[in-house]
Amino acid sequence: MRLFPTDGGDTRGDFVAGVNDRGVSLGVEPVRRALVVEDEILIRMDIAEELRRIGWDVVEVCSADDAIDVLTRDHNFQLLLTDVHMPGTHDGLDLARLAKSQFRAIKVAVMSGHHAPNASEQEFFDVFLSKPVASLRQQLSPLLDSEHADNDDA
């Protein structure tokens, strides 16, 4: 069950009520939202599905340009996971740079099978994933664990 603001506006107040297998309420937890940016549809679908399995609400887009449009309208994401090389005027590193400069709370993961980030690029993301990404959950665990801890402190 999701609780939405009555005005239909800002979703920062969204919450999910959890229930265990015996029907006992586990309390109310904030919705964790991820923006997945990948031009290869099968990879994007696989990543999004894995994030959904571990409780994330996922928005999928196929380019950095589309992701910038999404973030302009809705910056309520705790995680940005982006490929580096994609079609369009911006690449994943441009997107990571923008996200880190304008939305400081967002955790940014960059992935590529062809690009090894240099030292100056590394300041714009929290973790780099080499493709093919095996065990996404394990590789993102430092970000996911720190994001969960940040919510517990709030």
Side-chain angles (χ1 to χ4, degrees):
M1 173 176 82
R2 288 197 185 170
L3 308 173
F4 293 97
T6 56
D7 64 1
D10 190 344
T11 59
R12 281 177 276 192
D14 286 2
F15 290 85
V16 172
V19 178
N20 71 11
D21 58 347
R22 294 182 183 158
V24 176
S25 175
L26 300 176
V28 178
E29 297 181 12
V31 173
R32 298 180 303 165
R33 296 183 71 218
L35 179 57
V36 175
V37 189
E38 169 63 65
D39 60 317
E40 296 183 42
I41 190 167
L42 296 178
I43 294 173
R44 185 175 71 239
M45 289 171 56
D46 188 47
I47 289 169
E49 182 58 31
E50 189 164 346
L51 287 170
R52 287 183 182 109
R53 271 195 303 264
I54 60 173
W56 285 77
D57 184 24
V58 180
V59 174
E60 304 174 41
V61 295
C62 63
S63 72
D65 297 333
D66 290 344
I68 291 168
D69 289 343
V70 169
L71 287 171
T72 300
R73 292 186 317 269
D74 178 6
H75 55 269
N76 186 30
F77 291 94
Q78 291 73 44
L79 176 65
L80 169 65
L81 178 57
T82 183
D83 188 15
V84 172
H85 299 290
M86 294 174 285
T89 57
H90 298 284
D91 66 15
L93 293 173
D94 294 333
L95 175 60
R97 190 174 298 113
L98 172 91
K100 278 299 189 182
S101 67
Q102 292 189 11
F103 312 106
R104 297 188 193 282
I106 197 167
K107 304 293 184 186
V108 177
V110 170
M111 59 185 171
S112 180
H114 307 287
H115 182 83
N118 63 43
S120 67
E121 293 168 336
Q122 291 178 9
E123 70 184 83
F124 298 110
F125 55 85
D126 300 293
V127 68
F128 179 80
L129 308 174
S130 293
K131 286 177 161 181
V133 178
S135 183
L136 179 69
R137 184 179 191 169
Q138 181 180 3
Q139 291 190 46
L140 289 179
S141 66
L143 297 184
L144 305 182
D145 293 344
S146 69
E147 192 278 326
H148 190 64
D150 292 344
N151 282 343
D152 290 346
D153 294 340

